[in-house]
């Protein structure tokens, strides 16, 4: 394994395609192409299943190899910390180089060590639990010198890791290997293990795996008790002393005595096991340094104990005894007694650990989390080194998803490596140091100095090659993952010509912005025009970057980020979103199109100066400052450089070319507000738009809009940066325009719906059984429905109060049938097909990037959107296939005239069948149509139950209405998802996924009051809240009682949802008070929840402001806006505050996570 830095990379190394045979999905591993560490296999023999085939040599590394690995590690470290090629990076590399040239080694900083230890776990191909790699806690023991110091730090490690049963992944790193001395070593294979006492007849009492080490301990002077479960001592050695042993303090070892939930006799077997699985014999190989003593731990997977440790023949071998106790036929393997007994042993281990509240995971959950990690790694790094032999659990192999996943085994640095046993290594190193095993030759330092220039020369050539490609930063912020998916698609397209990097806004280092050449931003808008959680901090920093150029270094009087964001969100941006290449900063800022923007600028500066005046009055003097709009405009040239201008420091992004794609829905008032604001910030920082701001509307085929924008962006970037570009080499999802470029291939096995949806939407989708479907209210065109689903305690559907469930709806069967009758070449709609596409004739056929293997009928029914009006692009395609000239002309008009299209769309809102009926002369092939239809998107609903009260189930409360277009004279329309939900019956199956909504989760334990405000189906998450506290107070009898007040609005008493349940919650003293607002009740004045809040304004102010309570608001966007304005008014009136101060109070509540909103659009979103 040594000398790998000089090993040439395999010339045949190329991307490796891996298949998941369960989902039929493919992934391409490119990460293995970065691996330099040789494997164990040859061109003839595969040694992948050998247990300890890779063991680190005792030879010290050559300094040239140390430096090579150090450079690669430091590059990775500084990339991760967003400082790659920074001054600090270059200085650190120079410091390390000089140190290695002088001494042959160097020291890692603590941050580098922590990063390396975590990355080594991430790279470990045999570990199934790597999804938690970033949580590893590092104890730095590199200053340790004696065995006693090692022992003390190991006790500290064990106590911290045990944590009373809530196991924490931990590593302790002792000093690294050095030339001319023995290694620091922990002789134990695991920190905690049971002794194995070999008897004269060859049998073993205890654990046979440790019989050899038990003998060594006895030879060193330790005396065991001779029992089945005696804990071995720790044996450690240092470079200067003999090995020493230490008994582990009893209080530091947490043991679990095993019992079975059904078989009482099991406890009498007196089987016990320790809780912390800590490997202590492996080496941490990091940055060229070899840490020979680095014990680390995670937590157990139950089958490791139950199946391997207790049941393996070469271990405790308890299976025959246990099988007899269970009354099984142990004489014949055909009785499958081993399988039954092993399963019961696993049940016992899981039950015992959970009863004692000790961290453990079952093998199914572990396999599922590994698949999530595996998916994350392919998305983030382009691969995941994995040893299939070790990853597949020792029980239920093919029942776990990892069994069906092809994997590639390769080795990356940093890593954890097997070592020669410590007692063997001690003897060999003593011989080496005494000269018995010394090799002659030049000193390592001399060899390195001769190679140093070669290393630097190669590095220079490599850097020069990279520099020839333009870097493009693709930055996204996403609430549901759609923007992230688009960002990954852009990466695939741009990587052929550029050097792209995909990064979340949360992870982007804003200080890099001024040095970027090209930035592409994909920004989703969520809720009532709010940024996604992973975009807020980035945007705030971007705003502060702009503001720093306007206050002469003072930050006290900043107009807050949220004030600025909400101002622009509400009032809009006057500056048109046009590309502005070649326009100077002054011209760009002072052009006529930006005057509306400058009007807001005046208001902001006046507000800032008013704060100055208030501060000066408190100091006892008056400020005479006044800024007028005339003053602001009096000099167009000086404005851009004015000390009062927000743009004094325009060079922050003046060399950055950028483009923004905004994602949103016109069902919400502030359409694409976040994306527009990001574009606005980049513009006012002086950035150069390469393309107009483009907004993708979720209700108008967002995918088509993105495809078109992505192709235009690629062409624009190639033109701008003078990169060769082929016209047909656009975005992979670009529209297929001819039947010659798409074909069906018949397949036997369709992809399961759950797998198809999971792969398509990058969610963990489950199929669940409906257990209840109940209408709550119906009055003409409007109705409410309650749906209950059995989650089966599925780990991926474990939810908290306030979370959402995404449902994959089904299109109406008669609608699908009608469309099939209108299309060409649809001979057998129930035939399973795979769709292949190509971009032009002569190209290779590629599988469709989205659609799975399925029947044509199922594709139309479950995967494709046939109810949303066709996009202009699709109408253009229909026009090309129209046989009637009049219809062709009409279709072309709709496809090219946006005003005409919008009028037609608004009046008719036609589904695909209605369009085909309106234009019967259109002839279009089914293959081509399937490629051009948008995907049917899942719908999110608030969960209206508590997982404690409705264990193993979840409830949804759904509202919808049907309507006729053309002022009531058109076709009857109803939401695709809600109409689907209404048709579900008990025992039907439904496909869904869980979405966590941390912003709506319950507060921590305490007594602060809670106000619940909802209208209509907005009662859904509020019901989960009162159910939670009902369970806590009246069933589980835990927690301190809070004052919970409910304000609920509906039209009439008849649709007062869950009225009886709310009354019961009042009787149970869960809800302290309830208030009902009726807006359509006959013979009663129209009342909204806002009116009731104002009536009780004093009490509302007391609960939310004085007692620092929480408010939960759920309803339509207009309702949420109304409640927000009402709360502002209450705070002003009862707190004697100005409007600005009241807004600050609301913002403070949001910052402290006490103001919670769940908002749905005013339009039909269902």
């Amino acid at each position: 394994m040594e000398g790998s830095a000089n090993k040439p990379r395999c010339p045949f190394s190329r991307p490796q395609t891996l298949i998941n045979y369960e989902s039929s999905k493919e992934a391409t591993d490119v990460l293995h192409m970065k691996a330099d560490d040789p494997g164990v296999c040859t061109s003839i023999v595969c040694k992948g299943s050998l247990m300890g085939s890779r063991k680190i040599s005792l030879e010290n590394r050559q300094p040239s190899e140390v430096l090579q690995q150090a450079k690669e590690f430091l590059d990775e470290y500084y990339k991760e910390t967003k400082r790659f090629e920074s001054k600090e990076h270059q200085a650190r590399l120079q410091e390390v180089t000089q140190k290695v040239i002088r001494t042959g080694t160097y020291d890692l900083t603590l941050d580098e060590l922590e990063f390396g230890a975590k990355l080594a776990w991430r790279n470990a191909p045999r570990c199934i639990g790597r999804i938690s790699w970033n949580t590893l806690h590092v104890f730095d023991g590199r200053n340790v010198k004696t065995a006693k110091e090692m022992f003390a730090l190991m006790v500290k490690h064990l106590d911290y890791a045990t944590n009373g049963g809530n196991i924490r992944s931990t590593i302790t790193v002792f000093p690294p290997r050095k030339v001319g001395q023995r290694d620091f070593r922990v002789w134990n294979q695991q920190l905690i293990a049971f002794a194995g006492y070999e008897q004269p007849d060859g049998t073993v009492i205890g654990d046979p795996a440790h019989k050899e080490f038990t003998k060594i301990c006895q030879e060193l002077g330790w005396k065991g008790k001779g029992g089945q479960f005696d804990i071995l001592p720790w044996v450690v050695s240092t470079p200067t002393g003999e090995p020493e042993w230490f008994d582990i303090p009893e209080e530091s070892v947490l043991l679990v005595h095993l019992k079975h939930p059904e078989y009482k006799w099991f406890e009498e077997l007196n089987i016990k096991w320790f809780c912390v699985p800590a490997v202590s014999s492996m080496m941490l190989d990091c940055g060229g340094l070899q840490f020979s003593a680095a014990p680390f731990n995670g937590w157990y997977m139950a089958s490791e104990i139950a199946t391997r440790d207790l049941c393996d023949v070469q271990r405790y071998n308890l299976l025959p005894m246990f099988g007899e106790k269970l009354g099984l036929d142990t004489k014949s393997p055909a009785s499958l007694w081993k399988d039954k007994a092993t399963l019961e042993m696993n049940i016992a281990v899981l039950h015992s650990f959970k009863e004692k509240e000790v961290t453990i995971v079952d093998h199914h959950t572990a396999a599922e989390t590994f698949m999530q990690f595996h998916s994350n790694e392919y998305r983030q790094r382009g691969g995941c080194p994995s040893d299939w032999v070790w990853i597949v659990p020792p029980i239920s192999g093919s029942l776990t998803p990892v069994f069906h996943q092809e994997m590639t085994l390769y080795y990356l640095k940093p890593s954890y490596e097997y070592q020669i046993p410590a007692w063997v290594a001690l003897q060999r190193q003593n011989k080496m140091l005494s000269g018995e095993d010394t090799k002659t030759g030049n000193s390592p330092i001399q060899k390195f100095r001769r190679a140093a220039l070669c290393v630097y020369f190669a590095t220079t050539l490599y850097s020069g090659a990279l520099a020839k490609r333009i870097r493009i930063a693709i930055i996204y912020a996403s609430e549901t993952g759609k923007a992230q998916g688009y960002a990954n698609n852009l990466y695939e397209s741009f990587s052929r010509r550029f050097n792209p990097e995909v990064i979340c806004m949360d992870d982007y280092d804003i200080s890099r912005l001024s040095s970027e050449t090209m930035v592409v931003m994909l920004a989703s808008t969520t809720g009532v025009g709010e940024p996604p959680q992973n975009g807020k901090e980035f945007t705030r920093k971007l705003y502060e970057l702009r503001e720093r150029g306007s206050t002469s270094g003072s930050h006290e009087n900043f107009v807050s980020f949220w004030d600025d964001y909400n101002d622009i969100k509400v009032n809009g941006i006057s500056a048109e979103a046009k590309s502005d290449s070649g326009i100077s900063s002054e011209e760009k800022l002072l052009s006529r199109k930006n005057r509306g923007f400058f009007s807001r600028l005046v208001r902001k500066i006046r507000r800032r100066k008013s704060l100055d005046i208030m501060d000066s009055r408190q100091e006892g003097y008056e400020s005479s400052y006044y800024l007028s709009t005339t003053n602001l405009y009096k000099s167009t040239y000086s404005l851009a450089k004015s000390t009062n201008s927000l743009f004094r420091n325009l060079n922050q992004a003046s060399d950055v070319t950028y483009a923004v794609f905004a994602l949103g829905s016109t069902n919400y008032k502030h359409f694409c507000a976040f994306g527009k604001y990001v574009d606005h910030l980049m513009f006012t920082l002086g950035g150069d738009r390469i393309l107009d701001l483009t907004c993708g509307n979720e209700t108008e085929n967002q995918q088509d809009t993105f495809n078109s924008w992505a192709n235009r962006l690629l062409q624009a970037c190639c033109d701008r940066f003078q990169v060769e570009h082929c016209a047909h080499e656009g975005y992979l999802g670009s529209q297929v325009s001819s039947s010659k470029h798409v074909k069906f291939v018949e397949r036997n096995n369709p992809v399961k719906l759950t797998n198809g949806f999971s792969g398509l939407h990058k969610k963990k989708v489950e199929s669940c059984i409906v257990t209840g479907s109940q209408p709550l209210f119906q009055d003409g065109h409007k109705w409410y429905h309650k749906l209950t689903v059995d989650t089966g305690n599925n780990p991926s559907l474990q939810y908290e109060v306030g979370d959402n469930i995404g449902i994959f709806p089904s299109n109406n069967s008669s609608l699908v049938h009608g469309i099939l009758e209108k299309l060409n070449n649809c001979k057998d709609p129930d035939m399973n097909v795979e769709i292949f596409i190509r971009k032009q004739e002569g190209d290779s056929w590629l599988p469709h990037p989205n659609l799975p293997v399925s029947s044509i009928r199922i594709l139309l029914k479950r995967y494709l959107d046939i109810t949303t009006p066709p996009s202009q692009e699709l109408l253009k395609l229909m026009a090309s296939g129209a046989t009637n000239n009049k219809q062709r002309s009409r279709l072309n008009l709709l496809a090219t005239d946006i005003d005409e299209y919008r009028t037609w769309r608004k009046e008719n809102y036609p589904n695909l069948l209605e369009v085909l009926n309106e234009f019967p002369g259109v002839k279009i092939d089914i293959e081509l149509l399937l490629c051009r239809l948008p995907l049917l998107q899942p719908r999110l609903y608030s969960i209206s139950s508590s997982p404690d009260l409705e264990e193993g189930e979840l409830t949804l409360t759904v509202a919808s209405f049907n309507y006729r277009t053309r002022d009531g004279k058109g076709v009857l329309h109803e939401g695709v998802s809600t109409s689907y939900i209404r048709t579900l019956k008990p025992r039907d199956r439904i496909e869904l996924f869980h979405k966590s909504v941390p912003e709506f989760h319950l507060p921590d334990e305490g007594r602060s009051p809670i106000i619940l405000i909802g209208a209509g189906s907005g009662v859904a998450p509020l019901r989960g809240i009162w159910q939670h506290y009902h369970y806590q107070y009246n069933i589980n009898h835990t927690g301190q009682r809070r004052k919970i007040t409910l304000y609920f609005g509906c039209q009439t008493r008849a649709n007062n949802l869950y009225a009886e349940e709310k009354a019961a919650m009042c009787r149970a003293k869960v809800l302290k008070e309830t208030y009902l607002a009726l807006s359509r009740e006959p013979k009663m004045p129209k009342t909204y929840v806002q009116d009731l809040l104002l009536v009780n304004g004093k009490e509302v102010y007391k609960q939310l402001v004085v007692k620092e309570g929480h408010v939960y608001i759920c309803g339509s966007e207009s309702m949420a806006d109304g409640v927000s304005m009402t709360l502002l008014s209450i705070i002003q009136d009862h707190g004697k505050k100005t409007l600005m101060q009241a807004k600050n109070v609301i913002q403070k509540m949001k910052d402290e996570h006490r103001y919670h909103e769940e908002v749905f659009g005013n339009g039909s979103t269902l």
Side-chain angles (χ1 to χ4, degrees), residues 718-736:
C718 289
D719 292 344
R720 170 67 61 87
F721 302 113
Q722 298 181 352
V723 174
E724 184 180 355
H725 173 64
C726 297
H728 70 280
E729 198 185 56
Y731 168 63
L732 182 62
S734 60
Q735 301 298 346
V736 177

Side-chain angles (χ1 to χ4, degrees), residues 489-490 493-494 496 691 703-719 725-736 839 873:
N489 290 338
L490 277 183
S493 181
F494 275 76
R496 301 185 186 97
L691 277 187
Q703 182 74 53
D704 266 9
T705 308
F706 170 76
N707 292 349
S708 175
W709 175 81
N711 284 323
R712 288 188 291 115
L713 179 62
L714 179 60
Q715 181 66 61
C717 288
C718 289
D719 292 344
H725 173 64
C726 297
H728 70 280
E729 198 185 56
Y731 168 63
L732 182 62
S734 60
Q735 301 298 346
V736 177
K839 293 183 179 174
E873 289 290 328

Side-chain angles (χ1 to χ4, degrees), residues 263-545:
Y263 306 113
K264 302 303 179 186
W265 49 262
F266 190 99
E267 193 172 359
E268 298 172 0
L269 300 176
N270 292 319
I271 304 172
K272 56 187 175 182
W273 208 258
F274 48 90
C275 300
V276 180
V279 177
S280 51
S281 60
M282 295 184 77
M283 168 187 286
L284 170 61
D285 192 347
C286 177
L289 304 181
Q290 298 172 301
F291 298 92
S292 51
F296 63 91
N297 72 273
W299 48 82
Y300 267 120
M301 181 169 71
S303 58
E304 295 178 74
I305 303 171
T307 308
R308 301 298 313 279
D309 298 329
L310 296 178
C311 293
D312 274 359
V313 173
Q314 72 275 19
R315 298 294 297 283
Y316 275 85
N317 194 24
L318 299 179
L319 205 58
M321 177 270 290
F322 191 42
E324 291 176 2
K325 285 278 189 180
L326 288 168
L328 302 175
D329 178 13
T330 60
K331 296 179 180 179
S332 171
S335 68
L336 303 184
W337 69 270
K338 291 183 179 181
D339 304 78
K340 296 177 184 177
T342 303
L343 177 61
E344 294 299 335
M345 186 69 82
N346 276 267
I347 291 172
V349 170
L350 279 168
H351 169 75
S352 305
F353 271 65
K354 289 183 178 180
E355 186 180 70
K356 198 162 182 179
E357 298 183 345
V358 175
T359 305
I360 197 167
V361 64
D362 64 275
H363 52 283
H364 291 287
T365 302
E368 289 174 357
T369 57
F370 177 81
M371 291 303 297
Q372 181 61 53
F373 169 78
H374 190 266
S375 174
N376 293 343
E377 290 293 275
Y378 272 83
R379 185 172 63 253
Q380 295 170 12
R381 297 207 291 174
C384 180
S386 305
D387 190 341
W388 189 93
V389 176
W390 279 67
I391 296 297
V392 175
I395 184 175
S396 310
S398 62
L399 301 181
T400 62
V402 293
F403 181 92
H404 307 280
Q405 176 64 59
E406 287 187 335
M407 302 177 190
T408 46
L409 175 59
Y410 49 95
Y411 304 95
L412 300 172
K413 300 290 188 192
S415 61
Y416 294 106
E417 303 287 356
Y418 292 102
Q419 300 186 90
I420 297 169
W423 50 92
V424 177
L426 180 68
Q427 295 177 356
R428 290 188 185 177
Q429 286 186 326
N430 283 337
K431 288 183 178 180
M432 292 166 64
L433 292 172
S434 67
E436 296 178 34
D437 200 21
T438 302
K439 297 179 181 178
T440 60
N442 295 331
S443 74
I445 298 293
Q446 290 172 331
K447 288 182 178 179
F448 169 71
R449 285 174 176 156
R450 289 196 296 268
L453 284 176
C454 296
V455 173
Y456 275 118
F457 182 64
T459 302
T460 303
L461 287 178
Y462 178 70
S463 300
L466 278 182
K468 292 180 181 179
R469 282 197 171 192
I470 300 297
R471 169 181 155 81
I472 295 183
I474 303 172
I475 307 172
Y476 69 87
S478 181
E479 190 71 24
T480 63
K482 186 175 290 186
Q484 182 180 1
Y486 286 163
N488 290 332
N489 290 338
L490 277 183
Y491 175 88
E492 293 296 327
S493 181
F494 275 76
S495 59
R496 301 185 186 97
R497 292 288 181 266
F498 296 90
N499 179 26
E501 178 188 11
V502 175
I503 188 166
C504 177
M505 282 188 182
D506 250 2
D507 299 328
Y508 185 78
D509 181 1
I510 201 73
S511 65
R512 291 171 53 183
L513 183 62
S514 60
S515 63
E516 298 285 11
T517 302
M518 176 72 200
V519 174
V520 180
M521 296 190 184
L522 299 105
S524 293
T525 300
T526 184
V528 285
E530 298 300 300
Q533 282 297 314
N534 57 13
K536 290 180 179 178
E537 186 64 15
F538 167 87
T539 318
R540 183 185 63 77
K541 290 179 179 177
L542 197 62
Y543 171 75
E544 291 176 355
L545 182 68

Side-chain angles (χ1 to χ4, degrees), residues 1036-1145:
N1036 205 37
H1037 304 290
T1038 58
Q1040 302 180 68
R1041 286 190 178 268
R1042 301 174 183 267
K1043 181 175 182 179
I1044 305 177
T1045 308
L1046 171 66
Y1047 292 84
F1048 180 65
C1050 55
Q1051 292 185 342
T1052 66
R1053 292 189 184 277
N1055 58 4
N1056 179 16
L1057 304 180
Y1058 301 109
E1060 294 182 4
E1061 187 173 321
K1062 286 183 281 192
M1065 291 299 104
C1066 289
R1067 293 192 297 270
K1069 299 182 179 180
V1070 175
L1071 296 176
K1072 181 71 174 178
E1073 295 171 310
T1074 62
Y1075 296 94
L1076 180 63
L1078 302 173
S1079 61
R1080 299 290 188 276
E1081 183 71 16
K1083 300 180 181 180
M1084 285 188 65
K1086 184 179 293 187
T1087 308
Y1088 297 99
V1089 288
Q1090 298 95 304
D1091 302 318
L1092 299 180
L1093 289 168
L1094 283 173
V1095 170
N1096 298 319
K1098 184 176 180 180
E1099 182 63 22
V1100 170
Y1101 180 82
K1102 179 181 177 182
Q1103 292 185 39
L1104 295 185
V1105 181
V1106 178
K1107 294 191 174 182
E1108 297 186 334
H1110 292 250
V1111 61
Y1112 289 82
I1113 304 165
C1114 186
S1116 68
E1117 188 175 4
S1118 58
M1119 174 267 192
D1121 285 346
V1123 169
S1124 177
M1125 296 301 295
T1126 302
L1127 292 177
L1128 281 173
S1129 179
I1130 289 172
I1131 293 170
Q1132 283 182 267
D1133 293 344
H1134 296 277
K1136 310 299 184 196
K1137 299 184 184 299
T1138 66
L1139 177 59
M1140 183 58 62
Q1141 290 170 332
K1143 287 183 176 180
N1144 290 338
V1145 171

